[in-house]
Amino acid sequence: MSHTKISSAQFFVAMFVSRVVVTIALNAHYTGGENLLDNIISNLLAMALSLLIALPIWLALGREHSASVPELAMSSLGRAGGLIPLCYGLYFVLAGGTSLALFQIFLMDTVNPGFSAALVVTALLAVALYGAVRGLETVARCAVCVFAALLLGCGLVFAMASARFQWGNLEPLFYNGFGQTRQGVTLFLARTSLFADMAVLLPQVKGRKKLGFVGWMLGTALFMGSLIFLLAGCLGRYAYTQNFPVYVLASLSEVRSLQRLDAVFTGIWMMGLITKLAFDLYACRVCFTALTQRKEPKPALWLTALAILLLALFTAQSRAMQDFLLDTDFLFLCTILSGALLPLIVWLACCLRGRRARK
């Protein structure tokens, strides 16, 4: 695969979009409690822990960042190294499938469109697959456009919703203890695929990557903190009863010419989801290349897209699969495995190989 370079700004803007679209489905069930304000602290703690989780990635990639973690695994671990790109490929299928399933659940339970929700998610995945086939630069450019639309759309929703803000709806921090804060930290990290994306795609990024990573953390903390603060102040305890309170906030906000803004919210989610899925699929291309040591066959990418679609459809239709695949603790373990543990193993293997070579 030809390694087309994209800028650090493009990459981390895309990661910001991906992060936002998988956390706007927040609700009291996943956050572990009713006090939304506690989740502002949770988000800040999760961003701080991101520095620690990402450390093995920076160590494994080294100063040059010339090869991805899957590629380094193949060169340093021999045949056993093939497990690393395989694990990353499975993770991206899981991340894409669960993100798509959340959107399908949203369509079926909240929007209730007059047409098949499965057809909508299939179309979204098809667009993402086209982007992944075209290449990383195409997806990155699309992500910048989505980022601009996200800021404009969310800015409009936030501005309209602020008219409903009431300070009396806010509750004291840690009113029910620290359990929800701990659960929120786990949730925010569980739904963050940035670390795996960095491990696989960072060699194709040019520019000041560490500065971009810090910018991603600050931007994510500011956006999510503002969103949670508005939810708590505008909806109060009503937010705790809703499966998708952000959608409710958008649907209660009106502009005379646009009427309700729920369509804006849905459109932003769809565009952001396409970006995330395209990055997941392209990352799978890199894993295929590392595993086979040659350009990946196109049918492999099509089969990956099919696996993501089937996983999403079955998860959306099965309560048992939702309880398992959307479980916060399970996704958190997957994040730690792909974002920290696998790069740490590869880094240690590279260090051991270099020591042997010097001897």
Side-chain angles (χ1 to χ4, degrees):
M1 178 188 302
S2 61
H3 283 207
T4 301
K5 294 284 187 176
I6 62 173
S7 70
S8 174
Q10 287 177 314
F11 177 76
F12 286 103
V13 160
M15 293 301 102
F16 174 82
V17 171
S18 299
R19 178 67 166 74
V20 167
V21 298
V22 295
T23 51
I24 56 179
L26 291 176
N27 59 35
H29 171 71
Y30 290 117
T31 56
E34 296 183 347
N35 191 355
L36 283 175
L37 286 184
D38 285 4
N39 294 127
I40 296 179
I41 307 301
S42 300
N43 187 51
L44 292 174
L45 292 174
M47 292 300 100
L49 287 175
S50 297
L51 290 170
L52 183 62
I53 296 173
L55 181 59
I57 299 174
W58 299 111
L59 292 173
L61 297 182
R63 292 183 179 181
E64 299 298 329
H65 293 186
S66 58
S68 66
V69 170
E71 291 169 337
L72 291 171
M74 295 298 296
S75 61
S76 62
L77 292 172
R79 292 184 178 180
L83 292 175
I84 303 295
L86 181 61
C87 287
Y88 275 110
L90 292 175
Y91 174 79
F92 288 119
V93 170
L94 173 66
T98 52
S99 300
L100 202 58
L102 275 173
F103 184 72
Q104 185 176 353
I105 293 170
F106 161 72
L107 289 178
M108 294 188 300
D109 293 353
T110 305
V111 178
N112 193 23
F115 45 85
S116 172
L119 184 61
V120 175
V121 298
T122 302
L124 292 178
L125 185 59
V127 175
L129 176 61
Y130 174 76
V133 171
R134 290 297 301 270
L136 186 61
E137 188 176 5
T138 299
V139 180
R141 288 178 177 177
C142 175
V144 173
C145 297
V146 173
F147 174 72
L150 186 149
L151 290 185
L152 291 173
C154 290
L156 181 62
V157 173
F158 287 2
M160 295 300 103
S162 62
R164 294 178 172 270
F165 189 91
Q166 297 181 15
W167 291 100
N169 288 332
L170 303 180
E171 299 181 16
L173 288 171
F174 315 123
Y175 184 76
N176 297 315
F178 296 96
Q180 181 178 344
T181 304
R182 290 193 297 269
Q183 175 69 11
V185 171
T186 305
L187 173 66
F188 286 122
L189 291 175
R191 293 190 179 179
T192 302
S193 60
L194 167 75
F195 309 112
D197 285 308
M198 288 173 57
V200 176
L201 299 178
L202 211 55
Q204 300 186 44
V205 177
K206 59 184 178 181
R208 305 177 69 177
K209 304 168 190 177
K210 293 181 181 178
L211 180 62
F213 179 62
V214 172
W216 172 86
M217 290 193 302
L218 295 177
T220 300
L222 177 62
F223 182 89
M224 294 307 302
S226 302
L227 177 60
I228 294 170
F229 188 71
L230 271 178
L231 282 175
C234 295
L235 300 182
R237 302 191 68 86
Y238 180 63
Y240 315 143
T241 65
Q242 302 301 306
N243 287 333
F244 299 93
V246 182
Y247 174 79
V248 174
L249 181 66
S251 64
L252 293 177
S253 305
E254 296 183 358
V255 175
R256 182 173 301 176
S257 59
L258 296 177
Q259 298 302 317
R260 299 193 321 175
L261 298 180
D262 47 351
V264 176
F265 167 82
T266 306
I268 290 173
W269 194 348
M270 291 174 65
M271 290 186 295
L273 189 55
I274 290 173
T275 300
K276 173 172 175 49
L277 292 171
F279 265 90
D280 289 340
L281 287 169
Y282 187 85
C284 287
R285 288 185 63 182
V286 177
C287 293
F288 288 141
T289 302
L291 190 61
T292 61
Q293 302 294 310
R294 56 186 177 83
K295 186 176 181 180
E296 90 289 341
K298 288 185 179 180
L301 191 59
W302 299 337
L303 289 175
T304 302
L306 179 61
I308 292 176
L309 178 62
L310 292 177
L311 182 64
L313 295 178
F314 283 123
T315 301
Q317 298 292 338
S318 171
R319 184 64 188 179
M321 290 192 69
Q322 291 175 30
D323 292 339
F324 176 64
L325 294 179
L326 298 179
D327 178 70
T328 299
D329 292 334
F330 170 69
L331 292 176
F332 175 74
L333 290 176
C334 292
T335 298
I336 298 301
L337 174 66
S338 61
L341 186 56
L342 293 183
L344 182 61
I345 292 173
V346 171
W347 176 65
L348 292 174
C350 290
C351 291
L352 183 60
R353 184 185 180 191
R355 183 175 299 177
R356 289 177 177 174
R358 287 193 296 272
K359 290 182 179 180

